[in-house]
Amino acid sequence: KAGVTQTPRYLIKTRGQQVTLSCSPISGHRSVSWYQQTPGQGLQFLFEYFSETQRNKGNFPGRFSGRQFSNSRSEMNVSTLELGDSALYLCASSSREDRSYEQYFGPGTRLTVT
Amino acid sequence: AQRVTQPEKLLSVFKGAPVELKCNYSYSGSPELFWYVQYSRQRLQLLLRHISRESIKGFTADLNKGETSFHLKKPFAQEEDSAMYYCALSGAAGNKLTFGGGTRVLVKP
């Protein structure tokens, strides 16, 4: 089975712009979660989608949004980019909605905001 | 609120020595706890979860609800164990993981 894929792998944007990141989960996985990883704050949960519905949301401003499509692929969008949004954005998928199940992580998208 | 604390940012041990990574959590309900590992230039991956009560690559972790801890242990460290280790907690329904700050383990020959 192919693993979780994320596109693009690297992105450079300017303050004020918006960006869309994409995640394709492992085939058959219906849960997709997003995390932000920075040296200062570590790994922080952004949101989770299951069968196209947002189930959980982390403590991020409304500039961060996401969605999931019927094929379980997910996108996250960040509007009005700030320098502090520079981070590695990780996507993870899981086969079940049960919280005890393993999450499989993608390689991440490295976003740099200048 | 849920919180995970890993007090050591770096653990340096010699090959063959025991290694213990500490993890303490704060959660009012019944948590699910995990250890994830990231080897150099690889993805974050699950090492073990408390519900499985299994040993992976010689590592074990015991959930101590009284001390709210989930420490990771290995009796004899190997050089290939050098990596970044994250303790994580899943509380409410769904797949939201709260991660600790991570501990970098360096196993010296």
Side-chain angles (χ1 to χ4, degrees):
Chain A
K1 259 185 186 176
V4 177
T5 58
Q6 293 187 245
T7 56
R9 292 293 311 278
Y10 302 91
L11 207 49
I12 299 176
K13 289 286 188 179
T14 304
R15 268 185 305 175
Q17 289 185 314
Q18 75 165 18
V19 67
T20 299
L21 311 182
S22 181
C23 170
S24 292
I26 292 172
S27 178
H29 287 194
R30 293 194 293 164
S31 168
V32 174
S33 300
W34 288 89
Y35 296 85
Q36 182 196 64
Q37 186 174 27
T38 60
Q41 299 298 317
L43 278 156
Q44 293 186 286
F45 172 81
L46 280 156
F47 27 66
E48 183 216 354
Y49 288 87
F50 185 85
S51 294
E52 301 180 66
T53 300
Q54 187 181 87
R55 276 205 304 186
N56 284 294
K57 190 176 190 309
N59 295 324
F60 279 82
R63 301 185 296 107
F64 291 81
S65 63
R67 60 178 175 169
Q68 186 180 34
F69 302 95
S70 58
N71 62 358
S72 293
R73 189 177 69 85
S74 177
E75 288 181 348
M76 69 163 280
N77 184 276
V78 188
S79 62
T80 320
L81 283 165
E82 300 177 359
L83 294 179
D85 298 333
S86 294
L88 182 67
Y89 290 88
L90 294 173
C91 165
S93 75
S94 180
S95 61
R96 298 278 297 273
E97 59 182 312
D98 189 317
R99 65 188 178 133
S100 66
Y101 273 73
E102 175 177 0
Q103 291 193 41
Y104 295 82
F105 283 82
T109 293
R110 171 78 59 188
L111 172 65
T112 302
V113 182
T114 62
Chain B
Q2 51 197 61
R3 178 176 292 185
V4 177
T5 303
Q6 294 179 248
E8 306 116 341
K9 289 193 183 302
L10 173 65
L11 271 181
S12 183
V13 300
F14 284 102
K15 177 182 173 181
V19 62
E20 180 179 22
L21 288 74
K22 291 185 168 45
C23 171
N24 290 91
Y25 67 89
S26 172
Y27 182 63
S28 56
S30 181
E32 295 287 343
L33 285 151
F34 307 83
W35 278 98
Y36 278 82
V37 61
Q38 189 165 29
Y39 300 103
S40 179
R41 289 184 289 279
Q42 293 188 28
R43 305 177 181 203
L44 195 59
Q45 59 186 284
L46 179 70
L47 180 61
L48 55 79
R49 48 186 173 168
H50 93 269
I51 197 171
S52 300
R53 302 184 68 79
E54 57 194 346
S55 172
I56 304 292
K57 298 184 179 182
F59 284 97
T60 58
D62 289 318
L63 176 60
N64 185 324
K65 291 188 177 181
E67 296 183 358
T68 60
S69 68
F70 187 55
H71 302 329
L72 182 69
K73 302 175 186 179
K74 184 169 183 176
F76 307 103
Q78 302 300 314
E79 290 183 66
E80 56 265 30
D81 297 327
S82 295
M84 194 73 178
Y85 292 79
Y86 294 94
C87 182
L89 177 154
S90 180
N95 287 314
K96 172 184 176 179
L97 287 174
T98 297
F99 285 91
T103 298
R104 182 167 299 282
V105 172
L106 177 62
V107 181
K108 297 177 286 189

